[in-house]
Amino acid sequence: DAGITQSPRHKVTETGTPVTLRCHQTENHRYMYWYRQDPGHGLRLIHYSYGVKDTDKGEVSDGYSVSRSKTEDFLLTLESATSSQTSVYFCAISEGELRSSYEQYFGPGTRLTVT
Amino acid sequence: GQQVMQIPQYQHVQEGEDFTTYCNSSTTLSNIQWYKQRPGGHPVFLIQLVKSGEVKKQKRLTFQFGEAKKNSSLHITATQTTDVGTYFCAGPDSWGKFQFGAGTQVVVTP
């Protein structure tokens, strides 16, 4: 498996609290992604990064922000968690642009429950 | 926007049987990728198809990319219990962002 770790692996938090999930890679890949996975929806892109301090929105970005201050770290922040953000969050990396036929490598996931 | 649809959503297969899962995009794809996710695990890259009409095989798995590059299929022969999991197809939209299908969950009965 690619060198991708996510922390925490499990978290339970209350509605309205801020939450930050961390993705760390040791592959020096340029592109990093945050997805959420919910039953019946597959994987949906939240935000992605194409370099340090370069980020863009995905299809379900409302309520989420990201930051990438170093190549190896990509942070996902829920400013004020809501129950609809209960999900499994996956980080992924790729060496190059996906439309240029680079594959993605996924981290182990973070299971987040918002009560 | 682009939509990627997968059918069927669930597939119950008797061990030893063959089955096929299908992926359809509303737009032409530059490439399509397939991933497998075991229960409780994370998606793992299986293969990528780039050329129109391309066919690739991995042991008992056969992947095909349609001539119009808008659909793809995964055919598994002689299903084994190790094939259990959810299979996702995914392709980039015109902005390069990946769209995943909802997946086909495969259950194998011994």
Side-chain angles (χ1 to χ4, degrees):
Chain A
D1 284 342
I4 310 170
T5 57
Q6 291 184 232
S7 58
R9 294 293 313 280
H10 302 270
K11 186 169 183 68
V12 180
T13 192
E14 293 184 348
T15 298
T17 60
V19 177
T20 295
L21 308 182
R22 180 182 183 236
C23 177
H24 179 78
Q25 59 140 333
T26 58
E27 305 296 323
N28 201 36
H29 282 0
R30 179 181 174 188
Y31 291 80
M32 299 185 75
Y33 313 83
W34 277 108
Y35 291 90
R36 61 176 290 173
Q37 184 173 38
D38 306 288
H41 289 277
L43 292 143
R44 292 182 291 175
L45 182 65
I46 304 171
H47 282 280
Y48 71 101
S49 169
Y50 48 96
V52 173
K53 297 186 180 179
D54 292 323
T55 64
D56 200 357
K57 296 179 180 180
E59 63 177 303
V60 290
S61 59
D62 288 348
Y64 302 94
S65 63
V66 290
S67 66
R68 191 170 178 198
S69 58
K70 297 185 290 184
T71 299
E72 58 266 36
D73 290 326
F74 193 30
L75 304 180
L76 176 70
T77 297
L78 290 65
E79 300 291 346
S80 178
T82 67
S83 58
S84 65
Q85 294 175 311
T86 292
S87 187
V88 179
Y89 291 85
F90 286 101
C91 173
I93 63 173
S94 67
E95 192 172 358
E97 279 188 300
L98 299 179
R99 63 183 166 186
S100 298
S101 305
Y102 286 91
E103 64 261 33
Q104 293 180 88
Y105 300 95
F106 284 82
T110 294
R111 184 173 294 276
L112 176 67
T113 302
V114 184
T115 60
Chain B
Q2 174 188 308
Q3 287 192 330
V4 177
M5 309 292 291
Q6 277 187 261
I7 52 172
Q9 187 175 3
Y10 299 100
Q11 181 77 56
H12 291 258
V13 189
Q14 197 83 21
E15 192 172 11
E17 291 183 340
D18 302 351
F19 77 91
T20 303
T21 177
Y22 300 90
C23 178
N24 298 296
S25 171
S26 59
T27 60
T28 301
L29 300 169
S30 59
N31 64 76
I32 193 160
Q33 298 180 355
W34 285 88
Y35 292 78
K36 177 182 178 181
Q37 184 177 22
R38 295 185 185 276
H42 58 276
V44 175
F45 174 80
L46 290 177
I47 207 160
Q48 176 170 254
L49 304 168
V50 179
K51 299 177 183 177
S52 169
E54 188 171 14
V55 178
K56 287 188 177 181
K57 292 188 176 184
Q58 285 182 350
K59 298 182 181 179
R60 296 177 294 102
L61 278 61
T62 300
F63 303 84
Q64 189 165 9
F65 202 6
E67 293 291 338
K69 301 183 74 173
K70 294 179 72 173
N71 56 73
S72 181
S73 64
L74 161 59
H75 180 78
I76 300 181
T77 58
T79 304
Q80 299 177 359
T81 54
T82 54
D83 295 323
V84 165
T86 301
Y87 294 83
F88 295 97
C89 65
D93 63 18
S94 56
W95 300 102
K97 298 176 186 177
F98 244 48
Q99 295 274 339
F100 277 81
T104 294
Q105 184 178 346
V106 176
V107 176
V108 180
T109 305

